[in-house]
Amino acid sequence: MGLTAVSVRFSACTDYLSEAADARGHITIHPPREGQFIMQDTAKYLIHADITADGVVERSDVVGAVFGQTEGLLGDDLDLRDLQDSSKVGRIDVDIDSAHGQSFGEITIATSLDKVETAILAASLEVIDRVGPCRATIDVETIEDVRAAKRREVVERAKTLLTEAFDGSILSSEELVDEVRRAVRVEDVTEYEGYPAGPRVADSDAVIVVEGRADVLQLLKYGIKNAVAVEGTNVPDAIAELTRGRTVTAFLDGDRGGELILRELAQVGDIDYIAFAPPDRSVEELNRGEVMAALHEKAPYELVVDEGDDGELTVTDHPTGVDGADDVPDEPTAAVVDQLSRGRPGDGEDRTADSPTIDSAADDDTADPDDEDDTGSDDAAGEDTSEDDATAEADAADAADDASPNTLGGHVDAVIGAGSGRARLLSAEFEPLADGDAENAFELLRDAEPVPAVLVLDGEVSQRVLDVAAQRGVDQVVGASAGEFVKRPASVRVRTADQLRQPAD
């Protein structure tokens, strides 16, 4: 049998050599043409076909059969050899094995044709019925869209990137708002005479003096913009001058350094109130609730600092904002009461709007009109004493003669007289609005809707309860007992059950 000449150009990329055979099985091996090496990368579809042959055949037999039996079948435009020359069809990959006198394998052809032409080319493979001397059957299993496979890879990779690359970097709406607020508040830090300060220090009537810049930043985070830092234990002259003519609160760390700054500030400046962080903690470490509690429970300077005969200052107590008014001394001196009710000497202005006042006559039914003038209450100053006496007599009569729950006296007997340990909120007509444990009176009053007119409490009326009563607009509070008040709002009438039952003199 004669053989045609075999022309081979050796190449390192021998896998890309294209093979062709004529009908007699003679094979010519052609070198790869330009573009064939990248056919697999540019292919749009892959034709997968299964082949079965009744005999032992080789890869070259299958390739020759494909070229030989499809030649001229589909016309010049779809001739397989021409399509390979134009790089529209890639190499024919054949994977075939033989066993028990039969051959089984798979044919894969890559194409860059459109869907219709690819389907026609795939169908033409099924007309092949012989491979070499053996009968054979070719069935097209599937036509794979390479781009769909790549899209699946892209989707899977995108999922991985979305999970890993963006992990923890997506902010919620609240986090975005907090981040912007934090940035704005930090930018609000200004300077007063070269010292860190909030933006409202220069024009505010009330000033909070803290130790350092970090404390100013911490207060700014919580919306407090009138703080100024002394930057050390040596209080500068500018800060000392600032404290004169203002309502000044010293908010200091709960350590030895805070006490040293307080002594220095008291010698060169003018302090009205003092607030300390909890023991062994600094202001910059406090959260919002702790800061607000400490400032809310600030104590007058005279009640915290004791000035000895030799002029030595001693810090007698640390108001921390945790135990409410319990830290305030039980018996404030007459001098302290007088100073707090009339303002610090030498101020030259009225500070009663910001400064607390102490009413030492806690057992009286009503405050003296002159004292109420100092608290800034015009209505209290204009009350007539005879009207108060008449009111007291009427209340006492109600308590003594009518024990019905529809009267104030009836509610006092039901809550306090019975020792119920409860707190009851009443409307202006003495109708019950809410009821709860006496120890939860603060929360009960704070959250009450509608706002009650009267609070009846089987317990001691504390400064904390009195403050929230004034804030909510409660007219009067009746308790089993009344504590010592650092500040007593003129808008709230405070009495004990015994005072309510006692007829006026």
Side-chain angles (χ1 to χ4, degrees), residues 464-482:
R464 192 163 177 251
V465 172
L466 185 58
D467 288 342
V468 74
Q471 293 172 2
R472 296 303 308 277
V474 177
D475 293 333
Q476 56 180 314
V477 177
V478 180
S481 62

Side-chain angles (χ1 to χ4, degrees), residues 219-342:
L219 296 184
L220 278 174
K221 285 174 58 179
Y222 305 139
I224 301 174
K225 301 183 178 182
N226 60 334
V228 60
V230 296
E231 295 281 73
T233 58
N234 186 16
V235 178
D237 294 339
I239 303 301
E241 183 64 28
L242 176 67
T243 62
R244 299 184 178 92
R246 309 276 185 107
T247 301
V248 178
T249 299
F251 189 15
L252 306 171
D253 295 347
D255 55 15
R256 178 67 174 170
E259 294 185 4
L260 293 176
I261 293 177
L262 177 59
R263 291 192 180 98
E264 172 74 13
L265 188 60
Q267 293 176 3
V268 300
D270 190 359
I271 307 174
D272 295 284
Y273 300 100
I274 299 172
F276 278 102
D280 299 324
R281 297 184 64 188
S282 60
V283 174
E284 62 184 283
E285 299 174 353
L286 305 183
N287 59 36
R288 180 184 180 89
E290 292 171 328
V291 168
M292 296 305 174
L295 291 176
H296 178 73
E297 300 296 340
K298 63 187 178 182
Y301 170 82
E302 293 84 355
L303 298 182
V304 177
V305 178
D306 182 22
E307 184 173 352
D309 296 336
D310 57 354
E312 181 69 17
L313 299 178
T314 303
V315 179
T316 59
D317 202 356
H318 277 212
T320 60
V322 177
D323 299 326
D326 295 336
D327 290 334
V328 180
D330 293 335
E331 298 293 335
T333 63
V336 172
V337 172
D338 184 68
Q339 280 187 333
L340 291 176
S341 62
R342 291 174 170 77

Side-chain angles (χ1 to χ4, degrees), residues 6 48 204 209 264 287 460 488:
V6 178
H48 297 282
S204 177
V209 178
E264 172 74 13
N287 59 36
E460 182 180 88
R488 183 170 182 174

